[in-house]
Amino acid sequence: MNIYLPYKLFIVLLLFFLSFAVKAQNEIPKDSISNKLNEVVVTQNKKTFTNTNGNIKVDVVNSVYNSIPNTVDLLSKLPTVQISPDRENISIIGKGNPLIYIDNQKAGINDLNALAVADIRTIEIIQNPSSKYEAEGRSVILITRKFSKKDSFRTEISEVASFKKNYNNYLGFNSSFKKNKLEWKVNFNYNQLNPWESHSIEYEIPQAAIVSDYGVSAHTKRKQFVFGGGLFYKISEDDYFSVNINSKLQSDSFDINTMTYNKNQDAENDVFTFSDNDNKKNFVNSFLNYSKKIKSLNTQLFTGIQYSNLNQGLWSLVENNYNDTQSELAQNRTQKFNVAVFSSRTDLETKFKDEMKLEYGGLYLEANSKSNFSVLDYETNENELSNYRFKEKNIAFYSQFSGKIIKVEYSVGLRAENTNVNGKFSTDLQPLVNKNYTNIFPKVQFTFPVDSIKSISLNYAKSILRPNYSSLSQGTTYINPYFLYGRNINLDPTFTNEISTVFQYQDKSLRMSYYQNKNPVYNSFVFDNQTNILTFTEINFDKESGFNIDFTLPFTYKFWDTTNSLIFVKNKIEDNAAMLESSKPFLYYYSNNTFKLPKDFTFGFSFWGTTKQKEGVFERNAKFIFDMSLAKTFGKNWNCTLHYNDVFKNTIYIESFTINNIHSNARYVVDANEISISLRYSFGKIKETEFKEKSIDDNQSRIR
């Protein structure tokens, strides 16, 4: 394809739609004075992005983001949010992995995949979460779902046709009904997807005289059923009860093709590896919440329980062809993984005079996982079987006191968490992993107003990041006869200490922070010199430190609304087993631009990128990603949106590092270049009668 075509297309579209705006400003309505004035309606366009002390909130409902077919893709469009190439991890630039909340309950990547975009009202990226949130993570992504204020019935049907390397289709149905104090919701999505992925790694193992490289690609046929429902009952003005269930059922069939060159001393081989794979991945999440105002104590009580279950099974049949001879069966692999998590929490909020507030509560969490692994090796005629069981219990208590002295706002919190971990193979008498640790996590914030539009805040926080449950399984992925992707059941949590300051001027902010990580988790290599097999896995590195300067610069001019982020990052990752290179600052930049045009058109473009990253151990490439969108509303019921994502096909991740005397260069290509057309039809009825309630504060229901 001509590489200049996207540039030309963008310029033509921009000039075309800006011409509408010029025409509209010069156009005088005919007979405007003699027309009878029956009604005056004053409207205010909501900003897509708002910024408070470096915390960015996104209005999903009233933006082009509401037409993105899934929640993970939606998050990837937001400032500072990064999605890993395998779409299994989310990180915040300069902050690492965030804590994710949907309303009042903690969530994970599987919850996001089971959440319909049509059910999201706002998303907020919180940089300095309080002690109410778990100590896990230095930032929080808070997703708030929609709830109706008036009696109504509304149904939305959406269809998204997505053109990447292959065709993908998303069909969605979302409905809600509210009558007096009762509101229920239901959603159903059926997706037929055909994702493509590719990556390659070159590596050298000097101590074994091995040089090797491989290139792998996979085409997947995926079916997804995403559905859920919920009930919300408002008992009184301050009390409510709610129950919600979300689920995602997914089946994959995919072929993995790998071309490998391997030189071991004087022996050279070219190997073609083909694997036929079937995968099922089913997830369900349910929670029940109750909130009550204890008026005699001026205390708001919230209590909730949550249960989630992930069940995954993967079957693979692998064959190898050495030096263009004939294919021979290599392995028959069966892997099963199940994790069930139960949690309950209670939060209380007591308000005193002089704007003082005390928040306190506790959490109990229990997780149980089972990992079964079976491999039949045709070359050795051996069958390997192993069963691994993992249990984790977490008990936490917290208190948070906040208020104002003269004009200075303060918030002081303390959280204590006890974690008990036990991991054991069924054939072992003693557990392989047996940990019991208790930690204290203080958090402090002071905000000093300079005047009515300027303020300065100071923050300190200690946090923990635990490995996700799937990382603690024993599963592996066969790439070729010399290379495996594996898990690490011995990962320890990462501890972080961070201090920061924020200067806020109107809706613009400057944030500076310094942090230190103990036991950060990154990719590494483990070489078995008996089998000559290299395993790519995660390990705990020694330490990490960094300094960030973060500018958030929103701007509005007439029909143009823009939000910009600039983050200067100086990050250093260290480990005794790794070769330490120089650490240099790099720049992350993000810009989102929306143009409200006549005839109910909305045109937008956004771009983000980073300069080259040198972070001590790792060196990563520069990136520049450019997206465009055009939305048109037809009457009150129809909306059509055109997205053109990764216009210049630059979603490529390149990483090089040396650890355990093994040097590697890796390249991951993400199938992000996409043209999608979204059509959404909404119908229903909103009555004028409204259940009386207080004006809703976006932060009121937050579990911080």
Side-chain angles (χ1 to χ4, degrees):
M1 188 175 88
N2 189 337
I3 61 172
Y4 296 102
L5 182 58
Y7 293 91
K8 295 178 180 178
L9 178 60
F10 164 67
I11 293 172
V12 170
L13 283 174
L14 181 60
L15 293 176
F16 178 72
F17 289 108
L18 288 180
S19 68
F20 271 111
V22 175
K23 180 180 178 182
Q25 291 175 353
N26 295 328
E27 195 172 275
I28 300 176
K30 295 181 180 180
D31 202 22
S32 59
I33 298 177
S34 61
N35 285 340
K36 184 178 180 180
L37 183 63
N38 292 321
E39 183 180 16
V40 175
V41 178
V42 179
T43 62
Q44 181 181 5
N45 292 327
K46 290 186 177 181
K47 290 184 177 181
T48 300
F49 294 88
T50 55
N51 172 43
T52 305
N53 287 329
N55 300 328
I56 297 177
K57 177 177 284 188
V58 185
D59 178 15
V60 177
V61 175
N62 301 293
S63 69
V64 295
Y65 293 122
N66 60 23
S67 62
I68 295 175
N70 64 79
T71 304
V72 175
D73 282 346
L74 168 57
L75 289 175
S76 71
K77 307 294 182 185
L78 305 185
T80 72
V81 178
Q82 302 281 283
I83 308 297
S84 64
D86 61 4
R87 297 173 58 83
E88 293 294 329
N89 288 288
I90 297 174
S91 62
I92 303 292
I93 290 290
K95 284 284 192 175
N97 300 112
L99 190 65
I100 301 171
Y101 259 71
I102 299 175
D103 289 332
N104 295 326
Q105 296 285 13
K106 184 182 176 182
I109 190 72
N110 292 296
D111 299 276
L112 298 179
N113 286 318
L115 178 65
V117 173
D119 201 28
I120 298 175
R121 180 162 62 97
T122 61
I123 300 176
E124 185 175 6
I125 303 169
I126 303 172
Q127 300 287 354
N128 298 296
S130 73
S131 295
K132 259 196 173 180
Y133 287 110
E134 280 85 345
E136 191 171 344
R138 297 157 54 201
S139 60
V140 169
I141 295 178
L142 175 63
I143 298 175
T144 304
R145 296 181 301 131
K146 298 177 185 175
F147 287 100
S148 301
K149 298 180 183 179
K150 297 182 178 182
D151 287 357
S152 62
F153 167 73
R154 187 170 182 83
T155 297
E156 179 179 291
I157 301 173
S158 62
E159 163 67 20
V160 179
S162 166
F163 302 88
K164 295 185 178 181
K165 281 187 177 295
N166 302 309
Y167 175 72
N168 301 273
N169 193 82
Y170 304 82
L171 178 64
F173 171 88
N174 187 284
S175 184
S176 64
F177 172 81
K178 185 180 186 300
K179 178 67 174 178
N180 296 328
K181 300 180 179 182
L182 180 67
E183 180 176 1
W184 60 259
K185 295 170 172 289
V186 64
N187 69 275
F188 177 80
N189 296 74
Y190 174 62
N191 306 325
Q192 283 191 318
L193 312 178
N194 296 282
W196 171 89
E197 56 185 312
S198 173
H199 76 269
S200 60
I201 294 181
E202 301 175 355
Y203 62 90
E204 298 179 20
I205 311 175
Q207 65 268 31
I210 291 176
V211 176
S212 187
D213 68 80
Y214 73 83
V216 59
S217 64
H219 292 265
T220 303
K221 294 182 179 180
R222 175 174 299 161
K223 292 183 180 180
Q224 287 181 344
F225 295 91
V226 180
F227 55 91
L231 178 71
F232 179 89
Y233 182 73
K234 197 169 183 67
I235 301 170
S236 64
E237 191 170 295
D238 299 301
D239 306 340
Y240 73 84
F241 167 85
S242 68
V243 60
N244 198 81
I245 300 175
N246 293 303
S247 182
K248 186 189 75 167
L249 309 180
Q250 176 177 303
S251 61
D252 299 314
S253 61
F254 55 98
D255 300 335
I256 300 179
N257 300 280
T258 308
M259 293 296 300
T260 304
Y261 167 77
N262 183 272
K263 182 179 180 181
N264 187 341
Q265 297 182 3
D266 295 328
E268 294 187 45
N269 287 293
D270 290 297
V271 186
F272 173 71
T273 303
F274 173 84
S275 64
D276 183 18
N277 304 273
D278 281 317
N279 180 55
K280 292 190 181 298
K281 188 176 184 180
N282 300 328
F283 174 78
V284 63
N285 181 36
S286 59
F287 54 83
L288 185 151
N289 294 335
Y290 174 68
S291 180
K292 180 175 178 57
K293 180 68 174 290
I294 306 173
K295 295 183 179 179
S296 60
L297 301 176
N298 198 22
T299 297
Q300 188 72 40
L301 165 70
F302 170 84
T303 184
I305 59 175
Q306 182 175 7
Y307 174 80
S308 61
N309 184 279
L310 172 66
N311 190 46
Q312 185 173 7
L314 174 63
W315 172 83
S316 304
L317 184 63
V318 185
E319 57 185 50
N320 292 316
N321 185 323
Y322 289 84
N323 303 313
D324 199 22
T325 53
Q326 64 179 10
S327 296
E328 296 182 354
L329 289 175
Q331 290 187 354
N332 190 331
R333 304 165 63 86
T334 302
Q335 303 179 68
K336 296 180 180 180
F337 176 71
N338 178 274
V339 58
V341 182
F342 170 81
S343 65
S344 63
R345 66 182 305 131
T346 298
D347 301 298
L348 297 105
E349 180 181 297
T350 302
K351 294 183 179 179
F352 304 96
K353 295 180 180 180
D354 302 324
E355 302 184 33
M356 291 189 298
K357 182 171 61 176
L358 175 64
E359 300 166 276
Y360 50 101
L363 168 84
Y364 174 80
L365 180 145
E366 182 174 340
N368 292 274
S369 73
K370 301 177 182 179
S371 178
N372 299 331
F373 184 67
S374 173
V375 177
L376 173 60
D377 193 313
Y378 290 100
E379 296 178 359
T380 61
N381 199 28
E382 294 180 353
N383 194 10
E384 178 186 353
L385 298 172
S386 65
N387 299 313
Y388 183 72
R389 302 293 181 263
F390 174 84
K391 294 182 179 180
E392 178 180 312
K393 291 183 180 180
N394 185 276
I395 300 174
F397 298 96
Y398 76 90
S399 63
Q400 181 90 17
F401 189 71
S402 58
K404 181 184 291 187
I405 300 177
I406 308 176
K407 293 184 179 181
V408 178
E409 297 180 3
Y410 63 89
S411 177
V412 179
L414 193 67
R415 188 179 186 93
E417 294 190 359
N418 172 262
T419 303
N420 192 331
V421 177
N422 184 281
K424 179 179 178 295
F425 285 100
S426 59
T427 55
D428 293 342
L429 296 177
Q430 298 297 324
L432 180 66
V433 179
N434 190 7
K435 303 174 184 177
N436 191 330
Y437 52 91
T438 301
N439 300 103
I440 304 297
F441 302 96
K443 294 192 176 183
V444 180
Q445 177 172 318
F446 294 96
T447 301
F448 305 90
V450 179
D451 54 34
S452 60
I453 59 174
K454 295 189 289 290
S455 66
I456 297 174
S457 65
L458 301 174
N459 310 276
Y460 166 76
K462 181 180 179 181
S463 60
I464 186 174
L465 182 62
R466 298 180 178 88
N468 61 56
Y469 299 118
S470 60
S471 295
L472 299 171
S473 72
Q474 56 171 330
T476 60
T477 301
Y478 186 101
I479 300 298
N480 59 46
Y482 320 104
F483 197 96
L484 296 174
Y485 274 83
R487 306 288 190 178
N488 184 357
I489 60 178
N490 294 303
L491 287 177
D492 289 322
T494 301
F495 291 91
T496 300
N497 284 280
E498 180 179 21
I499 57 173
S500 64
T501 181
V502 180
F503 173 71
Q504 180 86 17
Y505 174 70
Q506 294 180 340
D507 59 351
K508 301 168 180 62
S509 64
L510 164 64
R511 184 177 187 276
M512 295 184 291
S513 65
Y514 174 78
Y515 69 91
Q516 290 182 335
N517 286 345
K518 180 183 177 183
N519 298 327
V521 175
Y522 286 100
N523 293 323
S524 180
F525 293 108
V526 177
F527 179 66
D528 187 336
N529 55 17
Q530 301 296 318
T531 62
N532 285 332
I533 293 178
L534 185 66
T535 300
F536 190 67
T537 187
E538 292 182 327
I539 67 166
N540 289 107
F541 279 55
D542 291 336
K543 59 182 179 179
E544 176 183 3
S545 60
F547 179 74
N548 302 329
I549 303 176
D550 183 344
F551 296 90
T552 302
L553 306 169
F555 177 74
T556 300
Y557 179 74
K558 295 184 178 180
F559 58 90
W560 177 31
D561 186 24
T562 180
T563 297
N564 305 282
S565 291
L566 290 173
I567 305 179
F568 295 88
V569 182
K570 177 70 163 60
N571 191 38
K572 188 175 183 180
I573 303 166
E574 300 177 67
D575 190 84
N576 288 332
M579 179 180 292
L580 189 63
E581 301 288 350
S582 61
S583 176
K584 296 183 178 180
F586 69 91
L587 171 66
Y588 165 88
Y589 52 90
Y590 171 93
S591 180
N592 180 281
N593 301 268
T594 303
F595 300 87
K596 296 288 186 180
L597 303 177
K599 310 295 184 183
D600 293 321
F601 276 98
T602 300
F603 173 70
F605 69 88
S606 64
F607 58 86
W608 71 270
T610 63
T611 58
K612 191 172 183 179
Q613 303 173 44
K614 291 187 175 182
E615 301 176 288
V617 175
F618 298 95
E619 183 174 319
R620 300 182 175 99
N621 65 310
K623 291 178 284 291
F624 174 76
I625 312 299
F626 186 89
D627 302 330
M628 294 191 301
S629 64
L630 175 66
K632 165 68 175 172
T633 301
F634 301 90
K636 296 181 179 180
N637 302 98
W638 290 91
N639 178 274
C640 182
T641 305
L642 173 67
H643 289 279
Y644 189 6
N645 297 322
D646 190 15
V647 174
F648 307 125
K649 299 183 179 180
N650 283 338
T651 309
I652 300 172
Y653 298 84
I654 299 175
E655 179 182 80
S656 64
F657 64 98
T658 300
I659 190 167
N660 294 324
N661 294 320
I662 301 169
H663 177 70
S664 76
N665 291 295
R667 175 185 172 93
Y668 302 87
V669 180
V670 180
D671 188 17
N673 179 252
E674 174 190 37
I675 296 176
S676 69
I677 302 173
S678 169
L679 186 64
R680 190 171 72 251
Y681 176 68
S682 304
F683 63 91
K685 187 177 182 180
I686 300 177
K687 297 182 180 180
E688 293 301 321
T689 59
E690 181 179 355
F691 175 70
K692 293 182 180 180
E693 57 181 330
K694 293 182 179 180
S695 61
I696 294 178
D697 179 354
D698 286 341
N699 298 319
Q700 189 173 359
S701 64
R702 178 184 301 169
I703 304 298
R704 297 176 181 83

